[in-house]
Amino acid sequence: RERNYSQLGLFYLHDVHTNYRSKYKEYTIDATMCGNVARMLNHNCEPNVTTLEVAVVRDPALSGDAARVPKLPRVGFFATRDIEANEELCIDYSPGRRGDDLQEVMECFCGSRKCKGWLF
């Protein structure tokens, strides 16, 4: 799916690497067709927001819909520094990757002092 989306210029996949107790150790959130406002965060090589995978654990004291929360990781968005009013919220689309780690799929135009030159 990622290859097909790349050819169309669609980049809304978010890989989640987790130690969460599950038979799966990696998940991908696909917000290409639907998702919340977070799918509209733009890239910057010096982001002011980062993601953190959060494991949701079922609470036996809860009932109804709250008790049926699936055991899947969630993604939370957190500020990495103080953010000014009206400042755009940005994340790094390829965190921790630099140089040879980047596939040179899409050129970066973020304009930051630490620009890596490529998004992916």
Side-chain angles (χ1 to χ4, degrees):
R1 185 179 339 180
E2 181 178 5
R3 205 171 293 131
N4 293 338
Y5 286 168
S6 293
Q7 291 173 352
L8 296 171
L10 302 172
F11 301 99
Y12 295 104
L13 299 178
H14 182 84
D15 291 332
V16 178
H17 308 279
T18 182
N19 291 327
Y20 187 67
R21 289 184 200 159
S22 169
K23 63 180 179 178
Y24 305 106
K25 292 296 180 195
E26 186 174 304
Y27 297 86
T28 298
I29 297 172
D30 183 354
T32 303
M33 299 302 176
C34 66
N36 63 21
V37 70
R39 73 190 279 254
M40 297 300 161
L41 292 178
N42 286 319
H43 166 81
N44 194 297
C45 292
E46 291 184 272
N48 54 15
V49 173
T50 190
T51 59
L52 179 65
E53 289 79 29
V54 180
V56 176
V57 180
R58 294 183 196 180
D59 185 343
L62 297 175
S63 62
D65 288 341
R68 290 191 287 273
V69 173
K71 286 188 171 185
L72 294 174
R74 303 288 195 257
V75 176
F77 293 85
F78 298 88
T80 58
R81 60 173 174 75
D82 290 341
I83 299 172
E84 301 292 326
N86 297 315
E87 182 180 352
E88 180 180 20
L89 301 178
C90 298
I91 62 173
D92 185 347
Y93 287 179
S94 53
R97 295 188 213 155
R98 298 211 172 279
D100 291 341
D101 293 337
L102 297 168
Q103 300 172 17
E104 300 185 1
V105 172
M106 180 177 273
E107 195 170 350
C108 179
F109 298 101
C110 74
S112 81
R113 297 171 310 198
K114 297 182 180 180
C115 184
K116 299 182 268 187
W118 299 95
L119 296 181
F120 309 105

